[in-house]
């Protein structure tokens, strides 16, 4: 019986090769894309869930409310040490807790004969018992009782010591102008990419230089604080108790009476989705919903395609169905046969889709940034099996229902052929068209937005500028910068050298200043060199640049237009009070430029060459476009001579600019590729649905052909109702797309306008695809001998 069923299955699909290939391609692509989307969603939802106690761990956050500041609300993923002490002693149900602080800058690491730079991470002993990071070597039990102990990751162990055993090896770290020696007591496996907590070197918090000062400061919110609750404690009680503690501590934390603060918690498993803290790299849960929607659309369209293509070819099987009914087969038997064929066909498609997934995995990993192996567990296999089975049943049910309803007498007398109601075809075409237009419009808008970000004028020239940290502080900074600039003057391929306190987009100092209304406000600040403005080609709108020959320039500042509005309508020559007691004179106003991501609006900013508070420590080197490799070798030689025993770690400023939108580019690429495949599947579906209507019009086309109608005339007549459907679908899809894409664009401070030309462009492409799809079937039917078509009643 199985052999007979297999022969029937092979014969039925072999006789309709074109439609079989189209159906197979459609189902394979839809299942493959759905599996890839499933894998990515699974990865995103797995963030921080690998910890054994993940459900009991929370991070305590600080919410500051300052009505007098422009940004009235600040959510900080950190606490001050006195608050942490009170939480540990006064909040019931806290089983364990740990402080966590990752340094903002890289420190110099010296091994026996090499020099590196890494960011340090400071933690408590409980860190190792709360979080499930895998220990490879050594012992972490009370490891930080000795404040000179250190835990490193596997990659750092290989980087520093190669194949040698790192346990009990010592390394020297230059921290804040001090030198400390640590002994390695353990090696931990690298934190997985789906961990919100990342680190390379773990050292005891007590070894931090300013630890003693922070212990008594209520206003220094420096430590991320994680707590693990006992399993019988309700998190609602935790929030209530934290609110009471915050109210009792308000007088210590806030200075002004108008200000207030609260304590809130973020579950460990939700940190990745917390978008309230802009500088944390978080995911957007809306994108998960978008991808899920695309996967459902893809599967729905694939089922619709399979139904339509099955119905198109059903006329070739009417004799088979009629004979089976005459020899005693019931409608149920025939229906089960067609559903069975559909399931087998879908499982064949699934096998091809797995091949597709395997081929696309390297590209998929590159686009998504998933740098860990993708594994299928039992639940994943069960999900794929259920998906394939569901698609097979859904795709085969309606054709089975229709085909099994044929009456044998009418079939064998050729009185009728399959006649599918226009209503069904219209609904299928309409739904497919809405999905297709929506995905097409959304992809176009996303592409335009990312192109806008890539091409937008940032207000400064970032091309061919090398960013080179000096890894020095104090008086050494000025010496290194001056020595490097002097040596670079003799290099013809180095155009200019300047310095800045922090590279753009990588952190910046905030300073208080007194505005024109006498109130204290906040501004961003860079300490720069004299030729900073000239090197980056900033435009001076008013006043002048810093003058190296002027001895009083240390008391001068140059402000941006945003800050000028906060100070005076005529700011040049005005006194500018900043920091705690720094007094300066405004000598110039530069045109606003983007020193932060385009997700954020431009903020008030001033440039100073006064090194008393902040110092420039990063070299910006503008080079010629020719011989970049040779120039880099010369820069490295100069750097090592002028700044020995420091790591040479450079990057191009243009690369830093592009990295600001890495997350958005990733999501945009994923959604666009998903949309591309979905559109392809939609085109296949439209091809099949047009075939259904052409089949219904088979006799009509023959009659019109006899009366002299051309293929073009027949095409225009058959296409009329589709044009109306497509027009309606395009209008509805544009409305849906406008609403959803406007919400997506709201994440950007600088964004494109969604104009009607974009929707017109998408609609024209859709109509071209429609005409091609319908045209194939109409032309094929029109070329058939009219005598063949008129033999049938239909």
């Amino acid at each position: 019986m199985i052999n007979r069923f297999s022969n029937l299955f092979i014969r039925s699909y072999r006789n309709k090769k074109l439609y079989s290939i189209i159906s197979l391609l459609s189902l394979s692509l839809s299942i493959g894309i759905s599996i890839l989307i499933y894998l990515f969603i699974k990865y995103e939802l797995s963030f921080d869930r690998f910890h054994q106690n993940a459900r009991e761990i929370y991070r305590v956050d600080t919410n500051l409310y300052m009505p007098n500041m422009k940004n009235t609300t600040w959510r900080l993923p950190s606490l001050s040490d006195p608050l942490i002490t009170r939480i540990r002693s006064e909040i019931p149900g806290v089983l364990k807790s740990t402080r966590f602080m990752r340094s903002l800058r890289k420190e110099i690491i010296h091994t026996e004969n090499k020099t590196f730079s890494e960011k340090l991470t400071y933690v408590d002993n409980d860190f190792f018992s709360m979080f499930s990071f895998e220990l490879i070597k050594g012992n972490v039990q009370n490891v930080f009782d000795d404040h000179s102990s250190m835990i490193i990751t596997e990659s750092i162990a290989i980087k520093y010591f190669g194949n040698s055993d790192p346990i009990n090896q010592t390394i020297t770290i230059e921290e804040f102008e001090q030198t400390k020696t640590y002994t390695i007591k353990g090696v931990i496996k690298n934190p997985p990419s789906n961990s919100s907590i990342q680190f390379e070197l773990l050292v005891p918090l007590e070894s931090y230089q300013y630890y003693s000062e922070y212990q008594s400061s209520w206003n220094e919110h420096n430590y991320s604080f994680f707590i693990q609750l006992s399993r019988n404690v309700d998190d609602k009680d935790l929030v209530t108790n934290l609110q009471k503690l915050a109210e009792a501590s308000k007088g210590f934390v806030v200075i002004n009476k108008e200000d207030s603060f609260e304590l809130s918690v973020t579950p460990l498993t939700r940190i990745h989705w917390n978008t309230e803290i802009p500088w944390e790299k978080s995911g957007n849960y809306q994108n998960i919903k978008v991808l899920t929607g695309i996967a459902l659309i893809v599967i729905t369209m694939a089922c619709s395609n399979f139904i339509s293509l099955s119905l198109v070819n059903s006329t070739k099987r009417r004799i088979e169905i009629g004979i089976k009914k005459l020899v005693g087969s019931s409608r149920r038997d025939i229906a089960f046969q067609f559903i069975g064929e559909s399931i087998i066909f879908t499982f064949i498609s699934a096998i091809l889709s797995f091949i597709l997934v395997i081929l696309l995995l390297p590209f998929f990993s590159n686009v998504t940034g998933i740098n860990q192996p993708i594994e299928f567990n039992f639940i994943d296999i069960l999900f794929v099996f259920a998906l394939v089975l569901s698609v097979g049943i859904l795709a085969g049910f309606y054709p089975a229902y229709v085909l099994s309803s044929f009456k044998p007498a009418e079939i064998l007398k050729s009185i009728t052929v399959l006649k599918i109601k226009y209503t069904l075809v219209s609904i299928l075409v309409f739904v497919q068209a809405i999905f297709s237009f929506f995905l097409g419009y959304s992809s176009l808008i996303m592409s335009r937005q990312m192109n806008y970000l890539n091409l937008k004028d940032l207000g400064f020239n970032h091309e061919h500028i090398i960013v080179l940290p000096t890894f020095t502080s104090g008086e050494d900074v000025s010496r290194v910068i001056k020595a490097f600039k002097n040596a670079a003057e003799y290099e013809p391929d180095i155009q200019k050298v300047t310095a800045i306190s922090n590279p753009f987009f990588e952190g910046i100092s905030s300073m208080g200043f007194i505005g024109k209304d006498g109130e204290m406000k906040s501004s961003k600040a860079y300490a720069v060199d004299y030729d900073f403005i000239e090197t980056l080609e900033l435009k001076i709108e008013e006043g002048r640049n810093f003058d190296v020959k002027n001895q009083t320039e240390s008391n001068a500042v140059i402000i941006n237009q945003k800050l000028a509005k906060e100070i005076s309508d005529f700011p040049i020559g005005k006194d500018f009070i900043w920091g705690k007691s720094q007094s300066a004179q405004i000598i110039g106003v530069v045109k606003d430029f983007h020193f932060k991501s385009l997700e954020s609006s431009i903020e008030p900013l001033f440039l100073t060459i006064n090194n008393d508070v902040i110092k420039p420590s990063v070299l910006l080197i503008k080079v010629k476009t020719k011989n970049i490799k040779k120039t880099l070798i010369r820069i490295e030689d100069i750097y090592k001579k002028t700044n020995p025993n420091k790591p040479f770690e450079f990057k191009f400023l243009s690369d830093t600019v592009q990295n600001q939108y890495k997350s958005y580019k990733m999501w945009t690429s994923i959604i666009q590729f998903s949309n591309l495949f979905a559109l392809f599947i939609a085109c296949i579906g439209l091809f099949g649905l047009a075939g259904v209507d052409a089949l219904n019009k088979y006799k009509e086309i023959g009659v019109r052909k006899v009366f002299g109608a051309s293929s073009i005339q027949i095409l225009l007549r058959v296409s009329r109702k589709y044009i109306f459907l497509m027009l309606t679908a395009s209008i509805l899809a544009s409305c849906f797309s406008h609403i959803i894409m406007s919400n997506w664009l709201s994440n950007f401070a600088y964004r494109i306008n969604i104009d009607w030309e974009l929707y017109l462009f998408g609609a024209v492409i859709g109509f071209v695809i429609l005409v091609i799809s319908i045209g194939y079937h109409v032309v094929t039917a029109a070329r058939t001998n009219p005598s063949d078509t008129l033999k049938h009643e239909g």
Side-chain angles (χ1 to χ4, degrees), residues 101-328:
M101 184 177 71
R102 187 166 170 82
S103 60
L104 296 176
R105 67 174 194 175
K106 289 184 175 182
E107 312 295 348
I108 306 301
I109 314 291
H110 297 288
T111 60
E112 187 176 345
N113 53 10
K114 293 181 182 179
T115 301
F116 304 92
S117 70
E118 310 288 351
K119 288 185 177 182
L120 297 182
T121 301
Y122 302 86
V123 295
D124 294 322
N125 263 320
D126 272 352
F127 177 84
F128 303 101
S129 60
M130 285 176 61
F131 299 105
S132 305
F133 294 109
E134 185 181 343
L135 180 69
I136 299 174
K137 291 182 179 179
N139 181 22
V140 294
Q141 191 68 30
N142 299 321
V143 66
F144 287 159
D145 288 348
D146 178 3
H147 296 169
S148 62
S149 297
M150 170 183 282
I151 303 294
I152 64 176
T153 59
E154 184 180 15
S155 60
I156 291 294
I158 295 171
K159 180 179 177 180
Y160 290 3
F161 305 104
N163 296 324
S164 302
D165 187 359
I167 302 300
N168 293 324
Q169 297 267 22
T170 60
I171 62 176
T172 304
I173 301 179
E174 295 181 24
E175 295 180 72
F176 300 99
E177 304 179 30
Q178 293 185 359
T179 301
K180 296 181 181 178
T181 301
Y182 291 90
T183 303
I184 298 171
K185 295 296 184 182
V187 178
I188 280 184
K189 194 171 183 180
N190 297 333
S193 59
N194 61 342
S195 172
S196 299
I197 299 173
Q198 296 290 328
F199 54 85
E200 292 84 27
L201 300 97
L202 295 168
V203 294
L205 198 61
E206 290 80 2
S207 68
Y208 183 61
Q209 181 176 352
Y210 301 106
Y211 178 75
S212 299
E213 295 180 26
Y214 290 164
Q215 278 189 301
S216 57
S217 175
W218 288 85
N219 306 114
E220 297 284 352
H221 302 278
N222 294 296
Y223 304 134
S224 291
F225 184 55
F226 295 91
I227 58 175
Q228 181 180 334
L229 296 182
S230 300
R231 302 209 170 200
N232 59 345
V233 176
D234 191 340
D235 56 354
K236 293 180 181 177
D237 294 334
L238 171 66
V239 172
T240 301
N241 291 326
L242 285 173
Q243 288 174 347
K244 293 178 181 177
L245 190 147
E247 186 63 31
S249 306
K250 177 183 174 182
F252 299 103
V253 177
V254 298
I255 300 173
N256 299 319
K257 292 182 179 180
E258 299 84 4
D259 299 343
S260 61
F261 93 104
E262 292 179 355
L263 294 174
S264 60
V265 294
T266 304
L268 178 64
T269 54
R270 295 295 302 172
I271 288 177
H272 179 63
W273 305 108
N274 188 353
T275 57
E276 295 182 78
I277 301 167
W279 58 86
E280 284 194 325
K281 293 182 179 179
S282 58
N284 190 334
Y285 201 77
Q286 293 299 321
N287 291 326
I288 294 292
K289 295 179 181 178
V290 170
L291 282 176
T292 304
I294 290 174
L296 291 174
I297 288 172
V298 165
I299 290 296
T300 302
M301 288 195 298
C303 291
S304 174
N305 294 348
F306 189 83
I307 291 170
S308 61
L309 293 172
S310 296
L311 293 174
V312 166
N313 290 280
S314 59
T315 52
K316 296 182 180 180
R317 303 190 66 180
R318 65 186 187 278
I319 303 299
E320 173 196 336
I321 296 168
I323 292 173
K324 282 187 175 182
K325 284 202 169 186
L326 284 176
V327 297

Side-chain angles (χ1 to χ4, degrees), residues 628-643:
I628 292 289
K629 291 183 179 179
K630 181 182 175 182
T631 305
L632 285 172
I633 293 172
R634 289 296 305 133
I635 290 173
E636 184 175 6
D637 290 340
I638 297 171
Y639 180 81
K640 288 182 176 178
K641 289 177 182 177
T642 57
N643 197 23

Side-chain angles (χ1 to χ4, degrees), residues 541-557:
E541 295 290 298
E542 299 179 55
R544 62 177 177 85
N545 195 359
F546 295 114
D547 185 357
V548 68
K549 297 178 181 178
N550 193 331
Q551 300 296 319
T552 63
E553 292 292 75
S554 60
N555 293 323
V557 294

Side-chain angles (χ1 to χ4, degrees), residues 345-359:
F345 192 82
T346 308
F347 270 96
I348 293 172
S349 301
I351 293 170
L352 294 177
S353 72
F354 270 105
I355 296 173
L356 176 68
V357 167
I358 292 169
L359 292 174

